[in-house]
Each structure stands twice: as structure tokens, then as C-alpha cells.
């Protein structure tokens, strides 16, 4: 036989040099965007989920793992701080974000070789790819702290050792540089809503500053976003959690979900949350990610409509724990922040447009996970068929709003407290509370009356001091963004994770026996361990390039 | 007339020679001959291949009937080896001949199964489901890739399970175990070669045979699980232990509380003890519940199967009674099932040509309900002498088969066997309306009704058409010089429509029905040309030369399409067009590979004493880049028939003794088709993104899918074999002994890439080394017991292999993990250990008191000592690294899936027309990681539990407990540990068969030349300590999937072997 007989080419795929042109670069950039949902990198969907429901919410005082005790025990370990470096969830998250980094770098490498693109076109691609690369690294940074930064000069897909980079450097400067480049080069508006804009980059950059307590650098960015006039708060709080109001006026950067789009299993829907649905009613699976009693209590307000940051957890909002759905139950009658019932599904209150939540019948195992269900990532009954996947409605197109204007207000309030004016901070917090107080936005019963005793008001008197202001803004963060995957990372950046979570677990143990004896170890549990398999695989000439975080 | 003593059929082609003369002849098609015998020369020497030679004194007879008896001395056989044939006595490599007649006595679906226990050094694993996969390993595990052997069927190579090839057509089967024998097949022979020749016609009048058996199969053993009361009691105990403070294992009230906290359960209530309800849906309802009102016709007013209605679960229910005793789900999914096989053959021939045609129908229903395998096949083998020196022939089989497997396949947590232990005993099979019952009620967990799953899958038929065969021509160029060309084709066509009916009774019901349709086809053609030269160089030197070329071309293409939302589940409606077009998705693609080769072999025999054999093959494969594509595979072997030496001649009892030594190299290229290439692909699920914010469409993107490695080169296995073949005591005993060593170097392995590189298929790189060393012993004996009429023959074999990973990536601490499901990986491949060694925590018993628990190294605790797992009744995890605490770093190698030895024993006893066959087979010394225990022995999910957990869990004072104190929130005890390991040793009586040959006097009256009836029992007895369903899971997969051998020995509830009783009949006309 001649040698040509032995030349066979791979089918239905392309080689690298097919992408050195405008269209090809576009394909790779879309591929880099497509990992924003954290799914598709070959990992189990919830391990890398973009909304960080495990690492940001279950790990905090907002939520329990839920479901039954023996299902997905590795999430339980994270919940009660029995954290081992071989827990497969960490590797899943690591995998998702670093695959995003690699895909961003694929696009950055291709754009340099493209010959049919103008410099302006190239800059636009570079700015988006560097924003994505900055975002993915940011995710790694807040999870694992000491992580390697991989840029397009380091990365070489044909050399499998090319990215064996040490994790002994603080990569904040690299993240800042990527986001700054994006901020400097992106347009204020993109015709395609899913693409990042200048202001999306500004918000992400400002957030990165906040994680370093660089309030002075962050403040002008947040001010510029507000001053741009491109964004406004939605009149109704709930519009931040509905598929039909995706990409609304409040949205600064959203992670896009789509359904019935050719993906055979509905994978572009919110697959990272696939476990997190009631065990009855709207769906049949799988009963994970249940709000904690502590979180529900946090929504209690006083007679002035203000939160109770020190005493909220002294007495519980009445729950239907242990009460059969067929037995009578009277919901709590005390004053509550109306955002509670946009955040938590609880017995006796309308569950979106699915009717009154019947309690235990929709909960997989109250004994393990408590009586509550999440709400924000759910789909409406009216979404079924249009915004849900035909094969499995849990996979739906209700976007995850990663950054919205309300974030910017509260971040700016934090900046003002640290480097500006307490009064301005109060104004910004009040902007958020004012919207929450809009009675049009309350959850209502069929007769049009509010579903519970909603009382929420603005802070009418100046904060006593910085500490009081901090308490107020931090509590407002919790109320506004509960069950959105931010809480744990906020507690860490505020430096109050250990005391908050130790108090939480000690108290919550009376309801959730698995918290018995659980402890948050200060100086260790603020960051997750570098996945042990990654350390093993990082060897160059027998020596590991990655080092484990302290305490693990 | 000369007849074959085994079946009294005419023996054509036997040689006759008048002793002391050169006069001889050959018998005709009817086994007849006539000779004129010179005076004084009245002794005939009769010989035939495969039969014991005889000398017959003619005397005054004019008509002589001579009965030839089969020669059990395997050393006198001619065996088919690579591209030719060789007398077994001249073979210098490790070649085993399978006694096909014996092997096929045991009903098998495919040829691989027939190898089990028959050949020393060959391990066979079955998945036991009808038409399921098998896995064959020859002399251990030489690679981390595909370790399955190459099959050469009538010269056409193939790999895999080969269910679609009818084993009843097999005439001979040889296993080339070492490289000296196999290296002529070069790059694909690294794991041994099985050479199969199908039945050819013999000269003679048409011979019609009909062979049939029919039988019934049943489950050997299920799992020992709890009944409803036991389940509820254990649930209560573990919930109480979790909710209250444990003091030395005794539940005491929590601080600040006056009494114990008791569980609340939708079915069993909230008291101090569980109460079994009358109904499970509505949850825990009593029979007097008003919701259970009945209509005058006895039906239930509130019964509804409209699970999407707002009233469902509130006022309407799939009303289901509790099974208060408990459903035995294993009993429900298994039931006795028939098996039958019909083989009709016609063969014959004359000087002009020979033919053998057969038709086969095989039908094995599964012991799991609604599973089964059915095959129709036709074979036509012909050869024609078209001219004096030219022969043209063909071998062709066409088969069509249908398979219904268990839903979600074997060894899967979502298949029907897994659901049989994952579903609670309180759930009945059917609800009050006779529809399937399930887990829709409260606290019934999430298993699916396994009977329903099987029933709903019963029309999902996998259909396969296969054409397999070759055409060839042979030309005798000169005396001894023959040219041959052969073109072989293996063509496969596959179709399945897989329809999923909604399981409305399940707690996690599917949202909609759906259909997936797959159509695949693929072909491989093989064209080879050889020149064979056979010549005696003088009276004492024999020479055999073979040279040839071969090219192979493979192509495969698939197409899949899916839709959901079918208006009706009717079987006539289960086509794509009936689904909702808006839900349509599809996929398709193709792959191919090619191989080009040249080879040569030379064999010499000097004085029938000194034997030398040399082989070389060059392979070029499309699977490597152009620079690395070519490889050479040499082999050299030698034999010394020491019994021919003068100094041995005086030794009594030794008829024949041959020493063998062989060296050779073979290769492996099972690394996928496109390993050299860096590949970008596009995929809606992983590279598309809704940049437009449309919610219902996604923009196409591309992603890196494979890194590629253009530097990969051939994996090489170098083997060394020393053997002895002996025939002793006047042919009474044959002994074959081999010592072997196989070393694989440059082993191709997909190194796990650190994920900072991104996620794409890792390329294979040449990194690792393995060795396999072992010994094999085969014994055959037989004969008559005096003149009593008793005959016997015994065949036994025993073999060992010791597998060792001598190098991975050069670092001794590098670990490559295998299998992981809900548990962390339980197999690891690491330098210095056997491949796929078991990995996990070492347990040292159970703490008997809180005091002892506190004194031990804290387990999985925080640095400040909090979160300590240790307490009275918990497992004692060993601090392997001695750092004073138990962490993931204490995981270690805890066991070995490889056996100390494997063996087989076949005994044949005959008395007059009766024959009794016993065949046993076993393995010794391996361990099994019984993953099923994760579900049944620990509080994982809410399914049924084992009686072991019920009786052998720790309670205060129970010092002989095997399991920790039951606590429903215990997520630690179930970590992979020595608890999961069990001895996998077993001895199985695979076959007992009693047959009776009808007397010739009766048969001839109805025109029969032979009639045999038999009764047979398969797998009637298994001696094992293994507690799982079946210990025969050590080799668990067909091996076609790369990487399977890194996770051997894990039992996920594999399909158990069936006990079978058969009645059979063989007729020849």
C-alpha cells in the first residue's frame, strides 16, 4: 500500500487553522461565553454551576443542602465544614472556570492570527475575551485564593505542560488588568444582549477592587455606572428572577440560559440548578438547596420596617416543620420584609404562579432539609412550554443575574462608608429599600391582598457610626441577594465568616442535627482547598507546581 | 469401509498403505476403498489426521470395516496459525487448541464465552444478560487500553464480543498466547489472537444434521434485603440515633430537651415506634380514610393518573396500598425463562468442490423479565477446484439479531437490578387500579419500580444485521508453492428505536415521553495475499515459508435523532414523526482507520528434533502520525524434541517430549482513530451560547475537543515463553506447561492533564510499562478402564498471572484513578502495584466506647478537633500515614482484583451409549469491591437495606458488629474502604451433561446415521463466599471501551448468571 492509504482525517471537526479569520474567531469567542453557565466543561453540572449555590449559599447561613441526608453527601461536607481536598465538587468548579480560561485564550490566540479583521474588530474581540478570562479567574480566586493565572502567552494547546504554573502569586493584578482592558475598550451598549458591555466590565472590575478592600478605586467606577444612565432599578423586585424579564433595565451582566435550542438534553437551560427544585408541585426533583431557618428569620422587620441585625434569630418565623400538608397551619403574622416571599417558598404563601405552597407535600425530606424551598431560580407556571425545556421543565431560561444595578448601589454604599460619606451610603441603601417597599411588587393572594404582613421602610435617621452603617449595608446585601450564591464570599471579604457561621451552625444544630459539633476553622475555611487531583496532576519532572491552601 | 468411531459416520480421505509396499490409496466420500493385496502382504497401515493410526491384518477377508478412534493426543493435530497451518508437533510458540466439541456442549451466545475455563491463561468475563458483552483477557493485562484479543475468523480479523457470529459453525479454535505465535498479526496481536475456522464441507454425499436444545433458566440467588417491618425499625433506629445525643451509642435527650426526639415519616407516623400504614398514597392513610371512598363498582372515587392536574396529590391520588409484609423485588423482576437453539446443516462435496451450509436460530429470553436475545443466521462455506491448480472459495455468514437489554444497561445505578434493591419493600408492584405503583407518596425515596422499567422497555429492540466472510483464491504455482488471495468483509448495520414512557408513579417522574432513534453502519474490509512454500530440503529437513501483504480499511457512521411529547404511547405511534417537531434534536458523525502490513515467516524442522521458527511483520497504521506510523514486530522461537535424542530413548513412559523457547514482539494501537490531531468541534450542549438573549435559540460556537499528540508511537509487548509439551504413558497423558513473561513498554496512556490546560480529550502518550508473568499447566488424560466398557477423559488446566505496573509517568506516587460513581474512585493504577488495585481507607474494626473513640486519631475533624467522626460504634479508620489524624491522605491500596490462579476441569465418562460430562471452572484469590453495599449497607438515599445492616450493625455491647451504629446522617462510614472488599473466589459447576447415543440398529431404520439425546444442567452449583449476586463479575465489560481495565472488579449489581436446565437432541442423516 502507498502511504496515502494511511492518511485519514477526523470527521465533523476542524483543525486550529480553520479559525484564523473573523468567522472562526467569532466561533471561539462564543465557545468562551458558553462556559459562563459553568456547564459543558465535562464536569457534573452542579459542581461548576455559575450561581455558586453550593459554595456561596449552602456553605453560608442562607441555605441547607436539602434533599435526603445520604444524597450527594459531598455537598453536606461543604455545608458542615467537613471539607477534604478530594471532594469532587471543588475539582468540578476548578474545571469549569479553567476551561473558560482556556477557551478565552483560544479566542485570543486566534484573533492574533486572523488576517481578515480590522484592528478595531480585533480589539473588540480581545476586550470580550479578556473580560471572560478575568471573570473566570475571579471565580477561581474567590473560591481558592491562591490560584495560577493563565494567559494566552502561557497557554499552548499543543504542549500539555504549558499551563503548569505555580500558585504562589496573588493574581489580583492580572485579573484587574484583564477587566481594565475590557472596561477601556468595550462599547457602552452591545446589540446582542448576552455580550458584555463597558459597564459590565466596570462593575466586575469594581467588584474585584472590593474583594481587595480597594474602596477608593472602586467608588468612581460604580458612580460612573450609575451616571451613565443606562440602567435603572426595575420597579418590582421580582423582575430580577423571571425569565420573561431577562436582560431588563436593571441587568448589568447576565448569564444567559436558553431552551429548545437544539441541545438534546436542554443543557443550555439552568442546568447547574437541576437538583434545586421542589419535590412535588412544579417539578419532581430533586429537593436540594433549601433556605435555612436563619435566613427566613433575617427577613423579620421591626415596627419601623427596619431589619433586626442583632436579634432577628432569637425567635423563629413560624414554620410548618413536621406538619403534614393535610393538617392545618397558620403562617407567621409578624412584620416581614416582602423580599422574603420572593426568595423563599413557604407554606401558605403563593409559590410564584403555581398556587399556594402546600408545605411538606413539596418537600423531599423535611427532617433533613427543613420546610422551605428556593424560589428565585424557579420558572413560572406560565413559562412552561415556552421558557422551559420540552424534555424536562427544570431546565429553564430564567437567567442568572450575575451583576445588576442593585449590586452597584450596595457596593457603592460600602465604598462610601469606608472612604466617603455615611449619609450617601444611607441614600444608596434606601434606594434599594424603597424599591422593596413598592406594594405593587408584593406577593399577593388571589384576593389582591398581600400574602403576609409586609413592612419594609427606609433608614430615616443617620447611621450612628461606621460600624452601624456596615451592619446595615451587609444586612441589606443579604436580604437583597439571598439564595443567589454570594453570601459566603461576601462574609469572607468582610472578614466575618468565622464568627457568623460558627454562631449560625451552633444555633441551627437544634433544627439540623448534622450541624452538631460543626465548626468553621478561622484561617482555613475562608477558602476551599486546591483540588488534590489537580495538585497531583501539576507535576513537572516529579515536582508539584501547585501548593495546597493552609489548613488542608 | 472406514468409519469415524465417534459418530460412526464414513471417514473420507483416510490414507491406506499396504505394509512393506508403496501401494496405497485414499478413501472416497463414503469412506470406502478397494485394493488388491499382493500375497504375503496382508497388513494395512491406516491413518487419518486426528485419528489414532492402526495396523489391520486382512487375512482372507474381502470386505473390511475399520473403525478409527479419535486421537486425544493433541500433539498430532494440525492447527491453523497465522496465514497457514502447522502440525502441532512442530509448533514452538504457545498455541492452545480449544476442544470445540467439548466447549460447545455448553450453550453459549458467542465464541468468547466458549473459551471460559477451556484454555490455561485465558480469562473470560460475561455480563450474563442475553446478548450481553463478554471480556476476554489472555495472560493478564498488558496495556491500560483495550486488552481484548484479536479474532481471526476464516482469515478475517475482528474484535469485540461477536454475538452475531454463530458459534455452532465453528470447526476449530486456536489461541495464540505468546508473541512468537501471534506476532505475524503484529500491531493488533499484543493481547493474543484467537483463530477460528468455520465448518467446511467434506467430500462425500450430502450429510444433513439437526441439533436442537431447549431449556429453562432461572435466577441462582438474589440479595438478602429487609421486609417492611424490618425496614421501618431500622429507619427508626437510625433516625433516633441521628436526632439525639449519643452516649456510648445510647440515644439520650439533647441538651435542653426532656425526652428523645422521634422521627416523623409520612408513612410510618411520628411515634416512638413506626406504624405500618394501610396505604402509602395518600401518604400513610388508614383504610378508613375518607379520601379512599369507593364507587359502587368498587373502584376508588379519588383515583387519578393525571399527575399534572392541580388536584393531584391534594384530592386525587394514584391510590396505592402498603405491602405490609414487603415486596420481594428480586422475585418480581426475575422469572424462569426459556432458551432454545436450532442448528440445521447440510454439507458434502466431491472432487469438484465442497460445501457446508447451515441455518441457526437461537433465542435466549432473559431471567430478568422482558429482556432477551434472538438471532437468525445463515452460513454458506464453499470451495471449488476450478482447475487442477486453482481453488476458489468463500465463507459467508449473514445474521440478524435482536436484543432487549435491561433499561440503562448492566452495572448501572438506574437499571432494574439496582432499583430492585433501591426501592422500599412497602411499595407494591401495582396500585389499586392495577397500574404500576411507585414512589409518588411521601418519604418513599426516588427509586423507580423496576418491573415497570423492564415492562416499558420491552419494545426497545436493538437490531443488528451483520455480513461476515471472505472470498479467496488459491493457485498452486509450483510443487509446494501456493499463492493465495483473500478479501474479507465485516459489515454491520444497527438500528434501535428507544422509546421512554413516562413513569408517572415515580417521585421523580419524567416530564414527558420521548423517543431516540439510532441508525449506525460500519464496515471493515481486509485484503491479504500470501505466498506459501512447503518443501523438504533433503530427507530430514522440512521447510515452510510464508510471505504476504495485508491491508485493512474501516469506516463507521452514525445518525441519532430524538423527539419528545408524543400524543400516545401506542407502539404504532413510536416514530419520530409522531413526536413534537419543536423538540427535535439530532446528531451524526463518522470515523475511520486503516492499516497496511507486510509479513514473512519461516519454519524449519531438522530431523524432527530441532525446530526453528522466525517471523517478521511491518505495520503502518493511520492512527499514528506519518512520522511514527511504521513499526516492525519480530519473533523467534525454537523447539527441541528431546525425546528423539538417543539418551532419552531408553526412558519408559515418555512418548514425546518437546522443550520450547520463544521470544517475540507484538503491538497495540487501540488509542482511538485520530490521536495525533488537535481538534475543535461544535456542540449545542457545550459550545453554544444564547448571545442574543432570545431564551429559545443559541448561537453556534466552537470548542477545543482534543489536544492531540502527533508524537505517539506504537505500544510494544515483548514476550518470552518457555514451554514443555509431553505425551506420556503410551498416549495416556498429555501435559503442556508454560512459563511466560510479557513486558509492555511505551504503553499508551491518556495522562490526566491538569485542568488549567482546559478540558479536552487527553491524548495517548507513550509512558507506562507493565509486566505480566505467570505459569500455565494443561493436562489431558483418557482411556478405557479395562474391558468394562467404561471410557474416561479428563482435561484440566490451571494458570496464573502476576500483573505489575512497573512505570506510569516515571513518578512512583502518580496515581491514575478508575471507576467513580457516587463514591470516590475505588481503583487506582500506580507504579509498583497491579493495574486497577483497590484504593480507599483501611478499617480496623469498630469503636466500642466513646472513650476509645476519643483517644484515637481524630477522623475527618477540623484542626481544633471539632467535627470528629469518631464515637462509639463508628468505624476505626487507620491512620496510614501516621500524622495523628484521619484525612483523605490516609487512603491507600487496600486490595487486589487479580486472582492468584484460575482453573478449569472437564471430565467425560462413557459407558456403552451413555456419556456424562462435567465441567467446572473457577478463580481463586481475587477480591471484589462490592459497590452495591453503598446502597444497601449505609444510610444512602432511602432505599431498601440489607439484612446484614439490620442484624450486624453495631449496638452497645455488640462487639462482633460488621457495620457502624446506624445513624441516618452518617455520611462518613460509606467512604470507600476495606468494608466493601470481599473474596471473589469461586468454583462453579458450569455444566453437567448426560447424553445417550441411540443404538445404530434403531437409527438406521429411520435413515439416521447418528442420534444423541441429552439432558444438561448449567451453573447448578457455585461454591463462593461472595455475598453479592454473582462473583463472576471480575471482568465486567466487553473491553471495547478504553479504560475499562482501570476499573475491574467492581460490582454494581451485575446481571447474575442463570441456572439452566436443558434437553437436547443431535441428529445426523
Amino acid at each position: 500500500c502507498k502511504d496515502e492509504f494511511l492518511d485519514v482525517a477526523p470527521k465533523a471537526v476542524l483543525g486550529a487553522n480553520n479559525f484564523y479569520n473573523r468567522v472562526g474567531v467569532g466561533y471561539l469567542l462564543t465557545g468562551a461565553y458558553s462556559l459562563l453557565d459553568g456547564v459543558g466543561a465535562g464536569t457534573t453540572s452542579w459542581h461548576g454551576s455559575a450561581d455558586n449555590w453550593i459554595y456561596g449559599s449552602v456553605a453560608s447561613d442562607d441555605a441547607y443542602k436539602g434533599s435526603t441526608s445520604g444524597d450527594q453527601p459531598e455537598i453536606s461536607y461543604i455545608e458542615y465544614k467537613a471539607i477534604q481536598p478530594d471532594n469532587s465538587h471543588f475539582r468540578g468548579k476548578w474545571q469549569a472556570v479553567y476551561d473558560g480560561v482556556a477557551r478565552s485564550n483560544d479566542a485570543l490566540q486566534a484573533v492574533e492570527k486572523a488576517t481578515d479583521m480590522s484592528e478595531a474588530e480585533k480589539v473588540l474581540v480581545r476586550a470580550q475575551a479578556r473580560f471572560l478570562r478575568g471573570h473566570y479567574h475571579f471565580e477561581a480566586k474567590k473560591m481558592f485564593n491562591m490560584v495560577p493565572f493563565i494567559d494566552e502567552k502561557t497557554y499552548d494547546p499543543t504542549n500539555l505542560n504549558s499551563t503548569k504554573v505555580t500558585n504562589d502569586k496573588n493574581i489580583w493584578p492580572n485579573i484587574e488588568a484583564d477587566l481594565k482592558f475590557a472596561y477601556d475598550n468595550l462599547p457602552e451598549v452591545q446589540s446582542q444582549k448576552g455580550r458584555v458591555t463597558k459597564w459590565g466590565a466596570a462593575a466586575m472590575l469594581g467588584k474585584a477592587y472590593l474583594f481587595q478592600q480597594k474602596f477608593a478605586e472602586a467608588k468612581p467606577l460604580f458612580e460612573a455606572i450609575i451616571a451613565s444612565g443606562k440602567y435603572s432599578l426595575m420597579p418590582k423586585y421580582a423582575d430580577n428572577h423571571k425569565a420573561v424579564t431577562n436582560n431588563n433595565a436593571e441587568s448589568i451582566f447576565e448569564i444567559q440560559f436558553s431552551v429548545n435550542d437544539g441541545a438534546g438534553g436542554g443543557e443550555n437551560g439552568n442546568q447547574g440548578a437541576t437538583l434545586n427544585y421542589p419535590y412535588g408541585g412544579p417539578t419532581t426533583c430533586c429537593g436540594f438547596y433549601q433556605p435555612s431557618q436563619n435566613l427566613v428569620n433575617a427577613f423579620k422587620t421591626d415596627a419601623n420596617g427596619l431589619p433586626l441585625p442583632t436579634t432577628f434569630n432569637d425567635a423563629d418565623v413560624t414554620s410548618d416543620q413536621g406538619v403534614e400538608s393535610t393538617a392545618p397551619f397558620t403562617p407567621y403574622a409578624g412584620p416581614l420584609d416582602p423580599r422574603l416571599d420572593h426568595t423563599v417558598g413557604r407554606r401558605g404563601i403563593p409559590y410564584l404562579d403555581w398556587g399556594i405552597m402546600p408545605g411538606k407535600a413539596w418537600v423531599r425530606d423535611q427532617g433533613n432539609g427543613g420546610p422551605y424551598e428556593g424560589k428565585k431560580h424557579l420558572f413560572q407556571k406560565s413559562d412552561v412550554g415556552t421558557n422551559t425545556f420540552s424534555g424536562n421543565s427544570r431546565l429553564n431560561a430564567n437567567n442568572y443575574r450575575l451583576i445588576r444595578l442593585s449590586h452597584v448601589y450596595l457596593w457603592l454604599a460600602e465604598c462610601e462608608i469606608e472612604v466617603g460619606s455615611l449619609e450617601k451610603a444611607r441614600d444608596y441603601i434606601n434606594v434599594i429599600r424603597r424599591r422593596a417597599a413598592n406594594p405593587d411588587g408584593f406577593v399577593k393572594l388571589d384576593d389582591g391582598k398581600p400574602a403576609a404582613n409586609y413592612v419594609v421602610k427606609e433608614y430615616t435617621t443617620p447611621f450612628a457610626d461606621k460600624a452601624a452603617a456596615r451592619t446595615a449595608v451587609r444586612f441589606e446585601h443579604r436580604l437583597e441577594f439571598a439564595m443567589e450564591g454570594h453570601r459566603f464570599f461576601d462574609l469572607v471579604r468582610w472578614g466575618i465568616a468565622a464568627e457568623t457561621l460558627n454562631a449560625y451552625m451552633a444555633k441551627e444544630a437544634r433544627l439540623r442535627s448534622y450541624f452538631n459539633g460543626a465548626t468553621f476553622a478561622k484561617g482555613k475555611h475562608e477558602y476551599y482547598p486546591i483540588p488534590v487531583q489537580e495538585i497531583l496532576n501539576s507535576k513537572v519532572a516529579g515536582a508539584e507546581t501547585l501548593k495546597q491552601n493552609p489548613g488542608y | 469401509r472406514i468409519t469415524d468411531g465417534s459418530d460412526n459416520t464414513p471417514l473420507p480421505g483416510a490414507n491406506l498403505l499396504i505394509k512393506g509396499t508403496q501401494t496405497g490409496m485414499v478413501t472416497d466420500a463414503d469412506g470406502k476403498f478397494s485394493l488388491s493385496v499382493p500375497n504375503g502382504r496382508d497388513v494395512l497401515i491406516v491413518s487419518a489426521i486426528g485419528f489414532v493410526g492402526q495396523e489391520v491384518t486382512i487375512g482372507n477377508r474381502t470386505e473390511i470395516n475399520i473403525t478409527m478412534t479419535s486421537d486425544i493426543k493433541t500433539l498430532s493435530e494440525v492447527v491453523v496459525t497465522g496465514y497457514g497451518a502447522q502440525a502441532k508437533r512442530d509448533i514452538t510458540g504457545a498455541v492452545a487448541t480449544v476442544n470445540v466439541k467439548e466447549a460447545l456442549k455448553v450453550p453459549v451466545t458467542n465464541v468468547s464465552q466458549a473459551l471460559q475455563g477451556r484454555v490455561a491463561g485465558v480469562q473470560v468475563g460475561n455480563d450474563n444478560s442475553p446478548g450481553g458483552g463478554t471480556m476476554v483477557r489472555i495472560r493478564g493485562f498488558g496495556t491500560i487500553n483495550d486488552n481484548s484479543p484479536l479474532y481471526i475468523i476464516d482469515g478475517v480479523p475482528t474484535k469485540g464480543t461477536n454475538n452475531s457470529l454463530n458459534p455452532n459453525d465453528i470447526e476449530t479454535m486456536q489461541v495464540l498466547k505468546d508473541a512468537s505465535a501471534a506476532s505475524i498479526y503484529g500491531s493488533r496481536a499484543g493481547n493474543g489472537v484467537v483463530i477460528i475456522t468455520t465448518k467446511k464441507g467434506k467430500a462425500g454425499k450430502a450429510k444433513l444434521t439437526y441439533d436442537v436444545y431447549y431449556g429453562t433458566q432461572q435466577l441462582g440467588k438474589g440479595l438478602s434485603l429487609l421486609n417492611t417491618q424490618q425496614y421501618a425499625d431500622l429507619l427508626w433506629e437510625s433516625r433516633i440515633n441521628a436526632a439525639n445525643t449519643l452516649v456510648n451509642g445510647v440515644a439520650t435527650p439533647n441538651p435542653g430537651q426532656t425526652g428523645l426526639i422521634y422521627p416523623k415519616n409520612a408513612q410510618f407516623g411520628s411515634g416512638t415506634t413506626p406504624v405500618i400504614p394501610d396505604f402509602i398514597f395518600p401518604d400513610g392513610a388508614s383504610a378508613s380514610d375518607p379520601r379512599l371512598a369507593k364507587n359502587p363498582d368498587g373502584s376508588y372515587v379519588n383515583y387519578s393518573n393525571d399527575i399534572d392536574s392541580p388536584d393531584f396529590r391534594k384530592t386525587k391520588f394514584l391510590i396505592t396500598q402498603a405491602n405490609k409484609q414487603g415486596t420481594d423485588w428480586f422475585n418480581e423482576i426475575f422469572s424462569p425463562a426459556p432458551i432454545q437453539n436450532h442448528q440445521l446443516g447440510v454439507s458434502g462435496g466431491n472432487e469438484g468442490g465442497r460445501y457446508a451450509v447451515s441455518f441457526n436460530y437461537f433465542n435466549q429470553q432473559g431471567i430478568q423479565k422482558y429482556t432477551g436475545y434472538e438471532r437468525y443466521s445463515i452460513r454458506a462455506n464453499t470451495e471449488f477446484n476450478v482447475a487442477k491448480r486453482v481453488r476458489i472459495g468463500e465463507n459467508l455468514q449473514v445474521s440478524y439479531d435482536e436484543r432487549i437489554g435491561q433499561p440503562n444497561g448492566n452495572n448501572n445505578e438506574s437499571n432494574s437490578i439496582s432499583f430492585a434493591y433501591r426501592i422500599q419493600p412497602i411499595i407494591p408492584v401495582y396500585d389499586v387500579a392495577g397500574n404500576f405503583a411507585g414512589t409518588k407518596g411521601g418519604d418513599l425515596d426516588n427509586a423507580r419500580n423496576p418491573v415497570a422499567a423492564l415492562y416499558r422497555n420491552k419494545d426497545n429492540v436493538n437490531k443488528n444485521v451483520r455480513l461476515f466472510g471472505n472470498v479467496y483464491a488459491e493457485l498452486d504455482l509450483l510443487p509446494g508453492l501456493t499463492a493465495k488471495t483473500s478479501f474479507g468483509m465485516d459489515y454491520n448495520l444497527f438500528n434501535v428505536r428507544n422509546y421512554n414512557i413516562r413513569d408517572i408513579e415515580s417521585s421523580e417522574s419524567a416530564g414527558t415521553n420521548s423517543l431516540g432513534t439510532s441508525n449506525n453502519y460500519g464496515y471493515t474490509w481486509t485484503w491479504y495475499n500470501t505466498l506459501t512454500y512447503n518443501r523438504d530440503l533433503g530427507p530430514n529437513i522440512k521447510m515452510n515459508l510464508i510471505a504476504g501483504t495485508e491491508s485493512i480499511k474501516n469506516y463507521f457512521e452514525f445518525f441519532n435523532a430524538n423527539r419528545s411529547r408524543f400524543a400516545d404511547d401506542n407502539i404504532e405511534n413510536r416514530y419520530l414523526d409522531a413526536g413534537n417537531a419543536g423538540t427535535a434534536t439530532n446528531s451524526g458523525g463518522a470515523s475511520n482507520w486503516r492499516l497496511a502490513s507486510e509479513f514473512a515467516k519461516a519454519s524449519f524442522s531438522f530431523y524432527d528434533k530441532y525446530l526453528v521458527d522466525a517471523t517478521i511483520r511491518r505495520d503502518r497504521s493511520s492512527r499514528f502520525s506519518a512520522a511514527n506510523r511504521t513499526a516492525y514486530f519480530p519473533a523467534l522461537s525454537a523447539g527441541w524434541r528431546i525425546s528423539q535424542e538417543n539418551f532419552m530413548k531408553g526412558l519408559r513412559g515418555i512418548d514425546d517430549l518437546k522443550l520450547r523457547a520463544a521470544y517475540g514482539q507484538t503491538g497495540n494501537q487501540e488509542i482511538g482513530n485520530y490521536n495525533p490531531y488537535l481538534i475543535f468541534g461544535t456542540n449545542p450542549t457545550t459550545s453554544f451560547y444564547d448571545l442574543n438573549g432570545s431564551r429559545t435559540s443559541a448561537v453556534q460556537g466552537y470548542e477545543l475537543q482534543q489536544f492531540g499528540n502527533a508524537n505517539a508511537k506504537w505500544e510494544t509487548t515483548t514476550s518470552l515463553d518457555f514451554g514443555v509439551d509431553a505425551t506420556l504413558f503410551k498416549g495416556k497423558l498429555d501435559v503442556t506447561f508454560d512459563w511466560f513473561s510479557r513486558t509492555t513498554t511505551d504503553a499508551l496512556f491518556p495522562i490526566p492533564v491538569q485542568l488549567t490546560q482546559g478540558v479536552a480529550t487527553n491524548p495517548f502518550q507513550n509512558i507506562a510499562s507493565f509486566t505480566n508473568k505467570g505459569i500455565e499447566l494443561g493436562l489431558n488424560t483418557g482411556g478405557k478402564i479395562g474391558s468394562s466398557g467404561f471410557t474416561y477423559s479428563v482435561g484440566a488446566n490451571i494458570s496464573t498471572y502476576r500483573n505489575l505496573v512497573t512505570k506510569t509517568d516515571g513518578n512512583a506516587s502518580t496515581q491514575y484513578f478508575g471507576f467513580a460513581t457516587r463514591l470516590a474512585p475505588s481503583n487506582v493504577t500506580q507504579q509498583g502495584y497491579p493495574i486497577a488495585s483497590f484504593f480507599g481507607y483501611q478499617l480496623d474494626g469498630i469503636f466500642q466506647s466513646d472513650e476509645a473513640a476519643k483517644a484515637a486519631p481524630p477522623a475527618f475533624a477540623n484542626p481544633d478537633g471539632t467535627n470528629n467522626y469518631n464515637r462509639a460504634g463508628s468505624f476505626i479508620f487507620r491512620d496510614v500515614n501516621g500524622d495523628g489524624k484521619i484525612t483523605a491522605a490516609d487512603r491507600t491500596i487496600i486490595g487486589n482484583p487479580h486472582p492468584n490462579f484460575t482453573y478449569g476441569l472437564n471430565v467425560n465418562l462413557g459407558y456403552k451409549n451413555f456419556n456424562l460430562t462435567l465441567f467446572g471452572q473457577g478463580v481463586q484469590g481475587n477480591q471484589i469491591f462490592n459497590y452495591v453495599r453503598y446502597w444497601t449497607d449505609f444510610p444512602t438515599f432511602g432505599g431498601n437495606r440489607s439484612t446484614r445492616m439490620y442484624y450486624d450493625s453495631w449496638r452497645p455491647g455488640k462487639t462482633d458488629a460488621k457495620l457502624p451504629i446506624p445513624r441516618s446522617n452518617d455520611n462518613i462510614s460509606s467512604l470507600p474502604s476495606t468494608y466493601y472488599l470481599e473474596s471473589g473466589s469461586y468454583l462453579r459447576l458450569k455444566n453437567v451433561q448426560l447424553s445417550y447415543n441411540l443404538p445404530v440398529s434403531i437409527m438406521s431404520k429411520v435413515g439416521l446415521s447418528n442420534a444423541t439425546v441429552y439432558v444438561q444442567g448449567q451453573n447448578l452449583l457455585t461454591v463462593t463466599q461472595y455475598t453479592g449476586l454473582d462473583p463472576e463479575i471480575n471482568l465486567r465489560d466487553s473491553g471495547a471501551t478504553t479504560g475499562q481495565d482501570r476499573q475491574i472488579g467492581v460490582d454494581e449489581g451485575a446481571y447474575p448468571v442463570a441456572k439452566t436446565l436443558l434437553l437436547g437432541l443431535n441428529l445426523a442423516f
Side-chain angles (χ1 to χ4, degrees), chain B residues 13 199 228 242 303 311 315 443 638 682 698 734-735 893 905 994 996:
Chain B
K199 286 175 181 161
T228 301
Y303 185 90
D311 295 334
T315 56
D443 288 339
T682 182
D734 281 338
V735 181
I893 286 175
L905 179 68
L994 179 65
Y996 177 69

Side-chain angles (χ1 to χ4, degrees), chain B residues 106-117 123-137 151 161 163 364 403 410-411 919 921 986 988 990 1018-1019 1030-1039 1051 1054-1058:
Chain B
V106 184
V108 291
T109 312
N110 67 57
V111 61
S112 317
Q113 289 167 311
L115 287 170
Q116 189 175 29
Q123 265 186 300
V124 180
N126 291 314
D127 102 353
N128 287 328
S129 66
T134 58
M135 188 168 165
V136 176
R137 295 292 176 264
Y151 294 85
T161 289
N163 278 325
Q364 181 180 12
R403 177 167 189 252
N410 199 25
N411 274 324
F919 172 55
Q921 170 269 332
Y986 70 87
R988 177 160 275 165
K990 302 286 282 187
Q1018 252 186 290
N1019 306 314
D1030 195 338
E1032 214 179 306
I1033 55 94
N1034 190 35
L1035 302 170
R1036 44 172 249 138
D1037 199 84
S1038 60
D1051 182 5
Y1055 204 119
V1057 74

